[in-house]
């Protein structure tokens, strides 16, 4: 989902100072999973299993995600900014999307990627809802001094947002597990191409790049 807003709301310098790097986020997910835990309020076995799968997906995309040459050139032209990502370790969409977002930022040393946990930052999450829901991951692109929000993206490509809405309105005999399998099959087939196009649109809208 693409949005563009102009003012920061609840994100402060302390938020950024206390946020994690991508490596720290992965280390936390791995450490908690090894203890039979995950991030957030829900510590059910299902969410711990989701964490294992999300970790596996991050490892996969860290290795194989590719950024087009055209996109690399656009990222290199971006002005200094902070990409703050609201997430949780168990989130399936986070496991699919964050590695590519981080890979984008690696092409520009002036982009700082930081991650915070949704359940520990409800005020920030509630300032960046998607259709009224605390959906993650949510990327908030900020000016270095936090005076401005350049753009936001998340929690997933628009195609999947529409697919989720359609499933909720009419499952048409499909189980939730079948729906989830379809979603992750789509991610595997799409190979971040849709995410790249949506991020490109964000850059165009915010910076004319």
């Amino acid at each position: 989902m693409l949005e563009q807003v102009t003012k920061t709301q609840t994100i402060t310098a302390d938020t950024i100072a206390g946020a994690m790097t991508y490596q720290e986020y992965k280390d936390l997910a791995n450490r908690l999973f090894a203890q039979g835990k995950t991030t957030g309020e829900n510590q059910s076995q299902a969410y711990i299993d989701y964490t294992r799968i999300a970790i596996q997906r991050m490892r996969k995309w860290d290795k194989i995600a590719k950024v087009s040459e055209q996109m690399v050139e656009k990222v290199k032209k971006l002005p200094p900014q902070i990409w703050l990502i609201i997430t949780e370790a168990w989130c399936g969409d986070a496991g699919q999307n964050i590695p590519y977002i981080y890979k984008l930022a690696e092409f520009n040393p002036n982009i700082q990627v930081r991650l915070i946990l949704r359940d520990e930052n409800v005020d920030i999450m509630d300032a960046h809802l998607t259709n009224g829901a605390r959906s993650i991951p949510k990327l908030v692109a900020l000016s270095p001094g936090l005076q401005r929000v350049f753009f936001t993206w998340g929690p997933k490509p628009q195609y999947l947002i529409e697919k989720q809405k359609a499933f909720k309105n009419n499952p048409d005999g499909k189980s939730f597990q079948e729906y989830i399998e379809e979603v992750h099959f789509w991610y595997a087939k799409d190979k971040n191409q849709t995410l790249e196009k949506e991020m490109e649109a964000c850059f165009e809208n915010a910076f004319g790049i």
Side-chain angles (χ1 to χ4, degrees):
M1 182 175 183
L2 306 180
E3 302 173 25
Q4 187 176 3
V5 291
T6 57
K7 292 174 63 180
T8 59
Q9 299 181 55
T10 56
I11 299 169
T12 67
D14 286 343
T15 304
I16 303 304
M20 295 174 282
T21 65
Y22 180 45
Q23 187 60 54
E24 287 170 341
Y25 169 70
K26 291 189 292 183
D27 289 345
L28 175 63
N30 280 298
R31 184 167 65 253
L32 288 175
F33 177 71
Q35 298 169 1
K37 301 176 183 178
T38 188
T39 63
E41 298 174 354
N42 191 327
Q43 294 292 319
S44 67
Q45 186 59 49
Y47 271 57
I48 294 169
D49 290 341
Y50 295 154
T51 301
R52 172 181 55 79
I53 296 169
I55 289 170
Q56 291 172 345
R57 287 178 177 138
M58 285 191 290
R59 286 174 180 165
K60 180 187 79 170
W61 289 120
D62 282 344
K63 292 178 181 178
I64 70 172
K66 296 186 183 301
V67 180
S68 71
E69 292 183 10
Q70 175 183 336
M71 192 59 162
V72 170
E73 292 308 309
K74 288 180 180 289
V75 172
K76 288 180 178 179
K77 294 176 183 177
L78 293 176
Q81 54 197 277
I82 299 165
W83 288 2
L84 183 67
I85 302 173
I86 309 167
T87 186
E88 292 285 350
W90 47 261
C91 178
D93 290 303
Q96 297 282 16
N97 293 305
I98 291 176
Y100 177 83
I101 291 171
Y102 180 73
K103 192 156 287 194
L104 278 183
E106 286 188 302
F107 291 104
N108 186 330
N110 293 315
I111 299 175
Q112 180 182 9
V113 178
R114 291 294 183 269
L115 299 94
I116 58 174
L117 299 178
R118 181 190 69 177
D119 293 356
E120 294 179 3
N121 297 275
V122 175
D123 56 338
I124 296 174
M125 182 74 263
D126 285 350
H128 298 92
L129 302 176
T130 302
N131 297 326
R134 293 173 175 171
S135 302
I136 52 175
K138 192 79 171 188
L139 165 64
V140 185
L142 302 140
S143 62
L146 308 182
Q147 302 95 339
R148 237 179 118 78
V149 175
F150 292 133
F151 65 87
T152 69
W153 178 91
K156 63 190 80 178
Q158 188 63 36
Y159 169 81
L160 292 180
I161 291 176
E162 297 301 326
K163 184 178 179 68
Q164 182 180 33
K165 188 185 304 182
F167 175 76
K168 285 184 175 179
N169 290 336
N170 181 18
D172 196 24
K174 189 183 304 177
S175 70
F176 179 72
Q177 185 58 39
E178 288 171 331
Y179 160 74
I180 290 296
E181 288 174 0
E182 285 184 3
V183 166
H184 292 295
F185 177 78
W186 181 88
Y187 273 123
K189 186 177 179 180
D190 185 72
K191 294 182 173 63
N192 304 122
Q193 294 180 66
T194 300
L195 173 54
E196 178 168 298
K197 290 175 183 176
E198 292 189 1
M199 290 294 290
E200 187 175 13
C202 288
F203 300 163
E204 173 65 29
N205 292 337
F207 310 109
I209 292 175

